[in-house]
Amino acid sequence: MATWSNLGIQDANSPLMEQLIFFHDHTLMILTMITVLVGYMMGTVLYNKLINRYLLEGQTIELIWTILPAFTLIFIALPSLHILYLMDEMNNPAVTIKSIGHQWYWSYEYSDFHNVEFDSYMKPTNELEMSDFRLLDVDNRAVLPMNTQIRLLVTAADVLHSWTIPSLGIKIDGTPGRLNQGSILINRPGLLFGQCSEICGANHSFMPIVVESVSMNQFINWLKNN
């Protein structure tokens, strides 16, 4: 989860988020190179006192500064399209979970199992334990197995919501009357925190999301107890 004065991206907890971080670093490197090159050229133009009064055209340099940006855009677009298709790929999900956004809480339905559904409210400050996080913990966490392909269906019952967990690289809008689909594969066990990322009303900032990643055996035991 994000911590104080953290300027970077959260640690990836899914293969998709790892690819997104690689793409971010790749694009940032290209932007840094462009910024340095343009800054150097502007500096030389400002402080260079040489001038050619008879220079009317420079077809060679114009060809170069047309072709180079085109190649630069290709180097950015190709990995971007690759990740875009990876995000839409659904590879034989083992578990399907449906998340419904309400004002202002989430409800979950495990469609593959009978009568496994619950609401997830933010814990009030006066009910927090010492290990809980204020404004981030919930009374009922969404328990999911790690190293398992999971299909996530997101919708909303009233207004627009958005189911978002940064460390998983997933953000799916919940739209009333519509089902949006995404896939999750969690690398390791632990607690993953997120919040609704759509401005959904007065208590928009008080509907957090907590996913508890567990092993498959623990997940099956949790299902038996629910």
Side-chain angles (χ1 to χ4, degrees):
M1 62 178 290
T3 55
W4 291 112
S5 67
N6 185 7
L7 299 180
I9 301 173
Q10 293 185 27
D11 291 339
N13 209 347
S14 70
L16 179 60
M17 188 58 186
E18 290 174 0
Q19 292 297 317
L20 288 171
I21 292 175
F22 291 152
F23 175 67
H24 169 269
D25 296 342
H26 165 77
T27 309
L28 195 63
M29 197 67 210
I30 293 176
L31 291 174
T32 304
M33 292 166 59
I34 293 173
T35 304
V36 171
L37 179 62
V38 172
Y40 171 76
M41 293 175 66
M42 290 181 66
T44 56
V45 168
L46 288 173
Y47 293 102
N48 190 354
K49 300 187 184 306
L50 300 177
I51 187 170
N52 186 344
R53 294 182 297 162
Y54 303 103
L55 182 65
L56 297 177
E57 61 183 24
Q59 293 182 354
T60 304
I61 188 63
E62 288 178 3
L63 184 66
I64 291 172
W65 71 41
T66 301
I67 291 176
L68 282 182
F71 277 108
T72 303
L73 290 175
I74 290 173
F75 279 113
I76 295 175
L78 288 181
S80 174
L81 290 172
H82 175 68
I83 296 175
L84 189 63
Y85 279 101
L86 283 177
M87 293 174 72
D88 283 337
E89 188 68 26
M90 190 62 61
N91 185 20
N92 297 325
V95 178
T96 298
I97 177 175
K98 183 180 179 183
S99 178
I100 305 170
H102 304 266
Q103 286 182 317
W104 287 272
Y105 64 96
W106 295 96
S107 60
Y108 296 96
E109 299 176 4
Y110 288 72
S111 309
D112 302 312
F113 313 99
H114 293 293
N115 299 323
V116 182
E117 54 184 66
F118 54 88
D119 296 332
S120 180
Y121 288 87
M122 185 191 75
K123 275 190 177 182
T125 304
N126 58 355
E127 296 180 10
L128 291 176
E129 299 177 7
M130 289 298 293
S131 58
D132 292 338
F133 293 101
R134 180 177 171 268
L135 303 182
L136 280 179
D137 260 300
V138 295
D139 54 359
N140 293 311
R141 297 166 177 166
V143 179
L144 295 176
M146 65 178 185
N147 296 324
T148 305
Q149 196 71 42
I150 301 164
R151 175 170 56 189
L152 176 67
L153 303 175
V154 180
T155 186
D158 34 48
V159 298
L160 290 175
H161 297 280
S162 187
W163 200 91
T164 307
I165 293 187
S167 60
L168 292 180
I170 189 165
K171 177 178 178 181
I172 305 176
D173 283 345
T175 308
R178 177 186 174 94
L179 274 180
N180 290 325
Q181 177 179 272
S183 67
I184 302 174
L185 196 151
I186 307 173
N187 284 341
R188 53 186 178 271
L191 294 178
L192 311 173
F193 294 89
Q195 287 178 302
C196 175
S197 300
E198 196 72 61
I199 300 176
C200 57
N203 291 333
H204 153 68
S205 55
F206 302 107
M207 52 181 301
I209 303 159
V210 182
V211 169
E212 185 174 352
S213 173
V214 297
S215 66
M216 182 56 78
N217 289 334
Q218 290 175 307
F219 178 69
I220 294 172
N221 291 332
W222 176 80
L223 287 173
K224 290 178 181 178
N225 296 327
N226 280 276

